Amino acid sequence: MSQRVFLANLSDFSEKGRQVFSVQGSSVLVIKVAEQFYAVANHCPHLGLPLASGKVEGSTITCPFHGSKFDLASGENLDWVTSFAGLKIPQWSRRLLEMGKKPTPLQTFPIIVEEGKLYIEL
Ligand code: FES
């Protein structure tokens, strides 16, 4: 059975359109794009590094460390380990940087906006 967890009042949500919450010991990143909220685990499935400063384009986020790209709604992996320190890397060197990790989806959470409050479901 799912559990609804309060995150914030909408009026307190970051004007930057993204905010990290600690939810039962886990870091959850909430992103607002064009009035739509998305909630995802704030750790990239590649090496577990934080996604909070990742580039958001539409409903996708790109990991700031090695360029893996994910759909914010479904968590689907759209591209896997494409760069290092912001520089694109050739296909042959991706395997080295992957460090044996296979493309993996990003964990997402249902998000609820109700009566001016933001919740996620665990
Ligand atoms: S930690 Fe995100 S792609 Fe490597």
Side-chain angles (χ1 to χ4, degrees):
M1 182 167 172
S2 64
Q3 177 187 7
R4 183 185 284 204
V5 177
F6 172 76
L7 295 178
N9 292 312
L10 283 181
S11 58
D12 295 333
F13 189 75
S14 171
E15 292 179 7
K16 294 179 180 171
R18 65 177 72 185
Q19 192 167 341
V20 175
F21 296 90
S22 178
V23 180
Q24 297 183 356
S26 296
S27 183
V28 175
L29 172 62
V30 176
I31 294 177
K32 181 182 179 189
V33 180
E35 304 308 313
Q36 175 70 48
F37 286 91
Y38 302 95
V40 299
N42 185 29
H43 52 85
C44 177
H46 175 224
L47 295 180
L49 298 172
L51 281 170
S53 63
K55 184 176 181 181
V56 173
E57 296 171 288
S59 64
T60 66
I61 188 166
T62 301
C63 177
F65 295 96
H66 311 117
S68 292
K69 189 174 186 177
F70 304 93
D71 183 288
L72 286 165
S74 68
E76 178 185 2
N77 175 247
L78 304 172
D79 211 347
W80 189 245
V81 185
T82 63
S83 62
F84 183 76
L87 300 173
K88 288 279 180 201
I89 56 175
Q91 187 71 34
W92 65 265
S93 62
R94 285 186 179 193
R95 283 198 195 92
L96 286 175
L97 200 54
E98 287 173 359
M99 299 176 72
K101 299 267 189 164
K102 298 291 180 209
T104 305
L106 177 63
Q107 183 180 13
T108 62
F109 303 94
I111 194 154
I112 300 158
V113 178
E114 192 175 282
E115 297 180 0
K117 298 180 188 315
L118 200 55
Y119 304 86
I120 61 168
E121 280 188 351
L122 300 178

